[in-house]
Amino acid sequence: MHAAHSIASGMGGMRTTGDLVARLQLNKGMRIEQAKQYVADKLKVPVTDLADSVTMGEMREDLNIGVVNEAPGVAKGIDAKFRIAELLDLDINCVDMFKDRVKP
Amino acid sequence: MVEKQQLFVEAKNSIVNQNKDKAVDLAKQGLDSGVSGIELLEKGFLPGISEVGELFGSGRLFLPELIVAGQTMEKVVEVINESLVGGEAKGDKGKVLIATVEGDVHDIGKTIVVSIFKANGFDVKDIGRDVPNQKILDEAEKFGADVIGTSALLTTTMVQQKNLEELLRKEGLREKYKTIVGGAPVTQRWAKRIGADAYAQDAGDGVKKLAEIRKD
Amino acid sequence: MGKIRTRLGDGSFIELLEEEIYEDLVDGTQDAAQKGRIPPLSEDELRYLLDLYKSKARVVGVDEGHECCLSYDNMTSKIERAHISVSKFQQLQLFERALGADTLELAHIDYSYKQVKHVVIYDKPNMEQAVLLTIPPMLYGAMPNLGLYTYPDGPCPNPGDLLPQGKFDEAKEAYAQAIELAIKDMIFVGSELYEAGADGINFDTTGAAGDAEFYAALKAAETLKAKYPKMGIEMGMAGEFILGMHGEIEYEGVRLAGLYPHDQVKLAQKAGVTIFGPVVNTGTNESLPWNLARSVTFTKACSEASEIPLHANLGMGVGGVPLNIMPPLDALSRASKAHVELCRLDGL
């Protein structure tokens, strides 16, 4: 069922920018057009590219915000989320908590 | 004729408005003026309970009101039964034993079904939730049920409905009872696969299906 | 003219003429319009749906640019229920990396806030570790499941027993007690998991026990949002209208019983919910065209009334998808495309 929805309608998650758009929905309550525009503006790409795995895959690699097929040394997990928080100008709960925990 | 029609309209409204006293008065008034009990039920009170079912099914009337409407209908049926010589309108519709299957404690749907069935003149015995199949069978024997209805809300518990069919066959009782199944994950397809006699999508559908299988 | 193969709501194949499909589409949208007191679909929208059924494509999908976000509830349990022996972390990574999920959700197999309360001590470190490992937004999900607070599962009397005895006041009192306990558990679990790093909380299958349960979830959402203003809150519903088990409960001056999705979402939004998941039940005795037109009609009205994102529930037995544990691809992809495109959905 999940694979079917993903093929029929999904943005693609971290293959593209679905996870970034979803962050704006979940934490800012933005509807999809506004959320897509917000992400597109931050990434400086057209909205129409957001669900494309080729261009967005490269973009993720360049921005080091996490990719599906990881090469050695690229940002993983919370490392990528530190960059996403900065890129989207958005508070991410676990990132903020991490910062608090490692405070001197 | 106009007066009779008016009586039927008022009878229907008394059920929809859950007005017990008014409903009983109207039943008595109708019988006293020579209208048959069956006609009173079929043209007045039953259309009322049918509308109650529709209103409940579309979220315009709620469970407490549904239950009072059902109880109002039961009172009316009692009055009409007393007037019938040599038979009961209620008993004619059949005895239905109802349970939620073992492992499943969900009973909201069952409560609704029991209310609607009773209101439609079936003699219903509700033996509760989380009931083992052997107990369902024992209770059906004791009650003298015509129909066994089971509810399952979970994909993990609906298998008990299949087990009940198997138990009935094993005990040589399959032909003695009609079975009707319902519940969120249950479908006509499932009913057919397990060999149940009927599937009820909701309480209103259940009333129709009961009438159909009782005719067979 | 040849017949078109489609299905009933239980997944069984049926064959219908084109005009029969159109009639079912009209009946389906009219049914929703009458019940919900909302506008039916337009002629163009019905023709769009008809074309979907005329298409022989096994899988259909949205046009470019209409892609939406996919949030899957009860995520980790879905892998466990298939008895695939992988850890919760691996399950989340499967959704993240293989299944195109845009959000992730950690969940306990016994998926109710009441049950989760007892294992929070174990799921908190799971959450702490999961947010280190994964990248998409992470929710913690469970069901309000008010039924667990009443006999035989809980300490409160069961209104299902009291109401048929005519004990209406006692039933209302039992609901009041159950609501209080449920709110407490939802706030406790929500707080603990947010403080373990979750981006948000999911109240899944809300309203399964009727208006009292919807009220409890709204109150819990309201309290959590006041406590953690940045918390994401998803609320997925259990059915298309709120069952009036109590009948008189109000939230913000609005009676909850009988509310359809377009009114439910307004209250959810007031309570601080950031993603709302409407549900429209599939009628298993009706055709899929009837069901899809009906579901799209309700969902479209909800989307038009909403200011927050909608992630409609399109799975087993809801949203025009057949009631079968393995929903067929043809039906699921048609439901997916139609809802997203006609309802301007934000997600599923």
Side-chain angles (χ1 to χ4, degrees):
Chain A
M1 191 171 80
H2 310 97
H5 275 311
S6 181
I7 289 164
S9 310
M11 281 206 72
M14 59 177 287
R15 287 162 54 84
T16 62
T17 57
D19 60 325
L20 307 184
V21 174
R23 279 200 181 278
L24 276 303
Q25 292 191 350
L26 180 66
N27 292 100
K28 295 275 185 190
M30 278 188 195
R31 296 214 62 175
I32 193 151
E33 282 158 20
Q34 193 192 357
K36 280 183 176 175
Q37 192 62 57
Y38 184 100
V39 172
D41 290 348
K42 292 287 181 190
L43 296 178
K44 300 185 178 58
V45 298
V47 170
T48 46
D49 283 3
L50 291 180
D52 174 48
S53 59
V54 174
T55 47
M56 289 305 104
E58 288 168 358
M59 172 74 71
R60 290 189 83 109
E61 242 176 67
D62 295 346
L63 294 169
N64 203 13
I65 55 171
V67 290
V68 172
N69 301 297
E70 290 165 340
V74 303
K76 298 173 183 66
I78 196 145
D79 183 353
K81 285 191 276 194
F82 266 77
R83 294 161 205 275
I84 289 170
E86 202 171 313
L87 178 71
L88 296 183
D89 190 19
L90 187 73
D91 292 325
I92 296 180
N93 188 28
C94 63
V95 171
D96 292 345
M97 288 175 63
F98 194 103
K99 285 179 185 165
D100 275 350
R101 283 183 186 179
V102 296
K103 255 187 203 164
Chain B
M1 191 61 187
V2 176
E3 276 178 20
K4 206 165 154 183
Q5 285 310 319
Q6 185 59 28
L7 178 70
F8 294 150
V9 170
E10 286 185 32
K12 180 183 167 186
N13 290 342
S14 70
I15 299 294
V16 175
N17 298 327
Q18 313 119 50
N19 189 336
K20 263 186 218 171
D21 294 341
K22 173 106 179 169
V24 168
D25 280 352
L26 287 166
K28 286 178 179 163
Q29 198 182 312
L31 292 169
D32 290 346
S33 62
V35 184
S36 81
I38 299 294
E39 195 178 5
L40 268 173
L41 275 178
E42 287 183 355
K43 295 186 177 163
F45 295 108
L46 281 174
I49 206 69
S50 174
E51 186 169 324
V52 164
E54 279 166 28
L55 288 169
F56 183 80
S58 58
R60 309 258 177 264
L61 185 138
F62 311 118
L63 189 64
E65 293 150 330
L66 174 73
I67 285 171
V68 179
Q71 289 169 344
T72 304
M73 191 67 190
E74 282 182 75
K75 289 273 174 211
V76 166
V77 171
E78 268 173 36
V79 171
I80 291 175
N81 278 345
E82 284 164 15
S83 76
L84 297 174
V85 182
E88 280 194 345
K90 189 175 181 178
D92 288 342
K93 284 211 164 183
K95 290 181 152 191
V96 187
L97 182 106
I98 288 191
T100 302
V101 297
E102 186 171 23
D104 201 327
V105 295
H106 296 89
D107 57 5
I108 289 172
K110 177 174 65 59
T111 304
I112 294 163
V113 165
V114 168
S115 299
I116 295 271
F117 281 9
K118 280 185 179 173
N120 277 275
F122 292 96
D123 191 358
V124 183
K125 183 165 188 189
D126 177 3
I127 59 166
R129 55 199 159 239
D130 193 10
V131 187
N133 282 333
Q134 188 60 54
K135 187 174 175 192
I136 292 176
L137 213 57
D138 295 343
E139 293 288 334
E141 287 284 289
K142 267 192 248 168
F143 180 51
D146 302 297
V147 180
I148 298 174
T150 53
S151 168
L153 190 91
L154 307 169
T155 50
T156 48
T157 56
M158 60 197 273
V159 69
Q160 292 298 348
Q161 294 175 326
K162 183 173 177 235
N163 295 345
L164 177 65
E165 296 293 331
E166 283 166 7
L167 182 63
L168 283 166
R169 281 192 285 271
K170 190 177 147 211
E171 299 289 327
L173 294 169
R174 186 60 192 85
E175 300 309 314
K176 186 172 178 183
Y177 301 105
K178 296 286 185 186
T179 55
I180 184 165
V181 291
V186 177
T187 61
Q188 177 60 49
R189 194 177 175 87
W190 169 249
K192 196 173 161 197
R193 271 171 66 78
I194 66 173
D197 294 300
Y199 155 68
Q201 183 166 271
D202 52 35
D205 188 36
V207 171
K208 286 181 211 149
K209 295 290 173 59
L210 275 184
E212 283 169 20
I213 58 176
R214 289 284 292 144
K215 267 189 213 159
D216 294 344
Chain C
M1 194 189 296
K3 289 199 167 187
I4 296 166
R5 189 157 91 145
T6 178
R7 297 173 190 268
L8 284 174
D10 69 1
S12 305
F13 282 122
I14 49 168
E15 290 193 333
L16 297 173
L17 292 167
E18 185 178 323
E19 54 266 33
E20 290 173 327
I21 290 186
Y22 191 76
E23 279 168 20
D24 278 7
L25 291 169
V26 172
D27 287 351
T29 191
Q30 287 299 341
D31 188 70
Q34 282 160 17
K35 287 199 164 79
R37 297 176 182 166
I38 51 177
L41 297 179
S42 68
E43 170 78 22
D44 283 351
E45 288 164 331
L46 293 171
R47 293 277 161 207
Y48 165 101
L49 293 177
L50 179 63
D51 287 343
L52 278 184
Y53 288 104
K54 282 163 69 181
S55 162
K56 290 198 181 301
R58 185 164 163 262
V59 185
V60 298
V62 297
D63 290 353
E64 274 181 2
H66 290 187
E67 299 89 353
C68 68
C69 294
L70 303 180
S71 56
Y72 301 121
D73 48 39
N74 202 1
M75 188 173 265
T76 48
S77 302
K78 282 169 184 160
I79 303 280
E80 285 175 46
R81 287 198 312 235
H83 302 288
I84 301 170
S85 303
V86 292
S87 73
K88 282 192 178 185
F89 306 117
Q90 289 164 325
Q91 291 167 28
L92 292 167
Q93 286 176 314
L94 277 172
F95 277 97
E96 177 192 52
R97 283 151 193 269
L99 291 167
D102 298 306
T103 69
L104 303 176
E105 182 176 305
L106 185 70
H108 176 49
I109 189 79
D110 200 350
Y111 190 57
S112 300
Y113 279 97
K114 184 182 172 217
Q115 313 301 76
V116 167
K117 177 178 61 177
H118 308 291
V119 294
V120 155
I121 192 78
Y122 304 116
D123 260 354
K124 263 186 92 166
N126 282 339
M127 178 60 80
E128 286 166 351
Q129 206 164 335
V131 294
L132 291 177
L133 273 177
T134 58
I135 295 172
M138 175 74 72
L139 294 115
Y140 189 83
M143 301 188 295
N145 207 345
L146 200 71
L148 285 183
Y149 296 88
T150 60
Y151 178 82
D153 285 315
C156 309
N158 191 326
D161 296 333
L162 297 169
L163 287 168
Q165 297 170 41
K167 295 180 177 173
F168 298 113
D169 290 340
E170 291 88 338
K172 283 177 185 166
E173 177 53 32
Y175 274 128
Q177 289 170 22
I179 286 170
E180 198 180 320
L181 296 173
I183 292 174
K184 197 174 154 206
D185 286 348
M186 285 187 270
I187 293 171
F188 169 70
V189 173
S191 302
E192 290 293 304
L193 271 300
Y194 187 68
E195 288 182 16
D199 293 285
I201 293 297
N202 181 17
F203 296 107
D204 192 10
T205 327
T206 297
D211 46 356
E213 183 177 311
F214 186 33
Y215 177 82
L218 289 169
K219 290 302 282 185
E222 184 189 294
T223 307
L224 284 169
K225 197 67 182 176
K227 194 172 172 189
Y228 308 107
K230 292 175 188 166
M231 178 191 258
I233 302 179
E234 184 164 358
M235 183 178 284
M237 301 307 290
E240 64 202 33
F241 68 83
I242 304 294
L243 268 175
M245 304 303 292
H246 181 292
E248 290 170 8
I249 296 183
E250 293 185 354
Y251 180 78
E252 293 279 312
V254 179
R255 180 151 90 157
L256 301 182
L259 291 186
Y260 278 88
H262 58 285
D263 288 322
Q264 296 163 11
V265 69
K266 292 175 195 161
L267 296 181
Q269 193 180 315
K270 271 190 189 171
V273 169
T274 50
I275 295 181
F276 183 73
V279 162
V280 180
N281 308 93
T282 295
T284 55
N285 291 338
E286 301 285 353
S287 71
L288 286 188
W290 184 91
N291 276 296
L292 187 56
R294 187 171 179 279
S295 179
V296 167
T297 307
F298 277 125
T299 310
K300 183 169 179 252
C302 181
S303 182
E304 286 170 356
S306 179
E307 288 172 22
I308 55 174
L310 285 198
H311 285 202
N313 284 273
L314 299 191
M316 176 185 171
V318 293
V321 176
L323 179 58
N324 189 285
I325 196 117
M326 288 189 288
L329 194 51
D330 56 295
L332 193 99
S333 65
R334 278 165 178 75
S336 200
K337 176 179 168 69
H339 280 85
V340 172
E341 293 192 332
L342 293 181
C343 309
R344 204 175 67 81
L345 279 191
D346 309 273
L348 299 169

